[in-house]
Amino acid sequence: MVIESSAAAPASSSSSSSPSTSTSHLSPPPEDAWTLAHQRLLPRWKSLSQSHLSPIPISISKVNQVDAARLDIEMSAMLKEQLVKVFALMKPGMLFQYEAELDAFLAFLIWRFSIWVDKPTPGIALMNLRYRDERAMEIPGKVRTGLEGPGLTVAQKIWYCVATVGGQYIWTRLQSFSAFRRWGDSEQRSLARRAWLLIQRIEGIYKAAAFGNLLIFLYTGRYRNLVERVLRARLVYGSPNMNRAVSFEYMNRQLVWNEFSEMLLLLLPLLNSSSVRNFLRPFSKEKSSSSAEDDSACPICLASPTIPFLALPCQHRYCYYCLRTRCMAAQSFRCSRCSEPVVAMQRYVEGTSANPKR
C-alpha cells in the first residue's frame, strides 16, 4: 500500500506540471487587439441591429389627397376670377385669346410661392399634407411616426413645374392650334393629318395611363397623378399630432336653409298671390293710399293701364292683358282689390259704356 501511494504521487505531480508548461508556450494578445476586433465587427453589428427594423406602414387618407387637389383648383379659379375683373373694362374677348397664358401664369405663381420654397400648396396645407421624396427614404435608426423624410429636391421641383405648368400650357396651345388649322380634316395634306393622329394617340395613351394610375391610387393611396408617380413625390401628413377639427355649425345652417328653400319652392306655386294679399290687407297701414290708387293703377302689375278694362260686377280697373290672362288661367278668378268673383270684363271708356266681355 505504501508502494502504490508513492507511485501515484509522481503521476499527480506530472499531470499538474503539464498545464503550466502549455501556458508558458502561448504569447499574450497585443494591447490594441480589442480595438481592431471592435472596428471589424461594428459594421456587421449595425447591419444586424437594423435588419429587424421595417418602415412603419402609414396610410394617408385618399379623401384628403383628392380634396387637396380640388381646393387647389378652386383657389386657382378664384385668383383667375379676380384677375379677369381687372380687365373687365378692356376690349371684350381680348382676355379670352390669352386664357392659356393666364392659366399658366397663375399655376406658376402658386408653384413659385409654395413648392419652390418648400411649402405646401394652399389645398395641401389645409389638408395637413406635404410632399416627401420617396427616393431618399431609408430606414432610420430611430423611427417615431413613419412620416419622417426629406422634402423634394431642386431637380424634382423644377421637373414638377415643367410638367404641371409648361407641359399643360404647351399641350393646350398645341390642341387649339391644330383645331384652328383643321389638321384633322381629310382634305389637309398628309403631314398635318399624321400630326393630328399622333396628337390624338398621345392623348389617348395619357388618358389610359392616368386611369390606370387612378386605380392604383385608389388601391394603395399613393401618388394622385402621373407626375407625382414619375417624380416619386408622395404626400404624407405634415404634422402627425394635428387633429382635424370639424365644426358642424356651418353644415347645419346650410342644411336648414336648403330645406327651407326647397319647402318654399314647393309651396309658392300652390299659393294664390291675390288671396294672400287680400288676407293681409286688413293688417296693412296704408288703407288710404290703396283706396286712392283704385282708379289709377292696375292691381296686378301696379302700373297705369294702357288699355283699361273693368272687372264686372265690382267695376275695378285693370289692364286688359292682366285681367284677361287671370280670367283665362282661373275660371273662378276673384278681384284682387275686393275679392269679389269676376264674371265679365268691360272696356273702360270715360263717359261711355261697352258691352260686357268674357
Side-chain angles (χ1 to χ4, degrees):
M1 296 297 292
V2 174
I3 298 174
E4 291 178 357
S5 61
S6 61
S12 62
S13 62
S14 63
S15 62
S16 61
S17 62
S18 60
S20 62
T21 56
S22 62
T23 55
S24 62
H25 292 292
L26 294 176
S27 60
E31 296 180 356
D32 58 345
W34 67 272
T35 307
L36 297 176
H38 174 73
Q39 294 178 354
R40 185 177 66 255
L41 297 176
L42 183 60
R44 188 179 301 176
W45 170 254
K46 288 184 177 180
S47 62
L48 290 175
S49 62
Q50 294 181 0
S51 61
H52 69 281
L53 294 177
S54 59
I56 298 178
I58 57 173
S59 59
I60 310 300
S61 175
K62 307 180 186 69
V63 176
N64 285 14
Q65 300 183 56
V66 176
D67 287 346
R70 295 299 307 172
L71 288 173
D72 287 335
I73 294 175
E74 294 294 333
M75 179 66 67
S76 179
M78 291 174 59
L79 293 176
K80 183 179 179 181
E81 182 181 359
Q82 297 298 324
L83 191 59
V84 168
K85 289 181 179 179
V86 176
F87 300 94
L89 299 179
M90 300 184 66
K91 182 180 178 181
M94 186 191 69
L95 197 61
F96 178 76
Q97 301 176 359
Y98 304 99
E99 187 175 3
E101 286 77 7
L102 181 60
D103 294 339
F105 175 70
L106 293 176
F108 176 79
L109 284 182
I110 295 176
W111 171 85
R112 172 61 180 81
F113 294 102
S114 59
I115 296 178
W116 178 250
V117 293
D118 293 326
K119 293 182 180 180
T121 61
I124 294 176
L126 289 175
M127 292 293 106
N128 185 30
L129 300 173
R130 70 176 183 91
Y131 274 118
R132 184 177 73 179
D133 184 10
E134 287 294 298
R135 300 178 304 175
M137 279 301 299
E138 295 180 357
I139 302 173
K142 184 178 180 181
V143 180
R144 295 185 294 112
T145 62
L147 302 176
E148 297 84 358
L152 301 182
T153 62
V154 177
Q156 284 178 316
K157 296 174 185 177
I158 294 176
W159 280 113
Y160 187 92
C161 178
V162 170
T164 57
V165 180
Q168 183 68 26
Y169 168 72
I170 293 175
W171 186 254
T172 302
R173 275 302 179 190
L174 182 61
Q175 283 187 328
S176 61
F177 181 78
S178 60
F180 179 75
R181 296 289 182 175
R182 294 186 176 182
W183 288 1
D185 293 347
S186 58
E187 294 82 4
Q188 295 290 335
R189 55 186 181 276
S190 59
L191 182 60
R193 181 68 178 177
R194 291 177 182 176
W196 173 261
L197 294 177
L198 179 61
I199 292 174
Q200 297 299 318
R201 187 170 300 177
I202 293 175
E203 184 178 7
I205 294 174
Y206 176 78
K207 289 183 178 180
F211 180 73
N213 180 81
L214 176 62
L215 296 179
I216 298 175
F217 168 74
L218 294 177
Y219 180 75
T220 62
R222 297 186 178 186
Y223 311 118
R224 300 172 300 175
N225 48 51
L226 293 175
V227 176
E228 294 179 357
R229 184 169 297 276
V230 172
L231 297 179
R232 298 293 301 278
R234 185 187 178 188
L235 285 175
V236 296
Y237 290 119
S239 175
N241 300 322
M242 181 176 178
N243 295 325
R244 185 178 180 183
V246 179
S247 177
F248 294 98
E249 181 181 359
Y250 177 77
M251 186 182 299
N252 293 335
R253 186 165 63 250
Q254 287 295 111
L255 289 175
V256 170
W257 279 110
N258 288 338
E259 294 297 331
F260 183 70
S261 60
E262 290 181 0
M263 183 183 66
L264 289 180
L265 291 176
L266 178 63
L267 295 179
L268 283 179
L270 304 178
L271 298 178
N272 190 353
S273 59
S274 60
S275 60
V276 174
R277 190 181 304 145
N278 294 328
F279 175 77
L280 298 177
R281 181 169 296 169
F283 305 98
S284 177
K285 298 180 180 180
E286 300 180 354
K287 296 181 179 180
S288 60
S289 61
S290 62
S291 61
E293 293 176 357
D294 284 348
D295 297 333
S296 61
C298 174
I300 297 177
C301 64
L302 302 179
S304 179
T306 56
I307 306 177
F309 264 73
L310 300 177
L312 300 179
C314 61
Q315 299 290 324
H316 286 132
R317 192 188 306 180
Y318 286 84
C319 294
Y320 169 74
Y321 295 104
C322 295
L323 184 59
R324 188 62 178 171
T325 52
R326 291 302 177 92
C327 291
M328 293 178 62
Q331 297 295 330
S332 59
F333 173 68
R334 294 178 176 269
C335 178
S336 301
R337 296 192 184 277
C338 61
S339 299
E340 186 175 353
V342 178
V343 297
M345 53 188 295
Q346 177 182 353
R347 184 180 181 89
Y348 173 77
V349 179
E350 295 184 359
T352 60
S353 60
N355 294 327
K357 182 181 179 181
R358 179 63 179 162

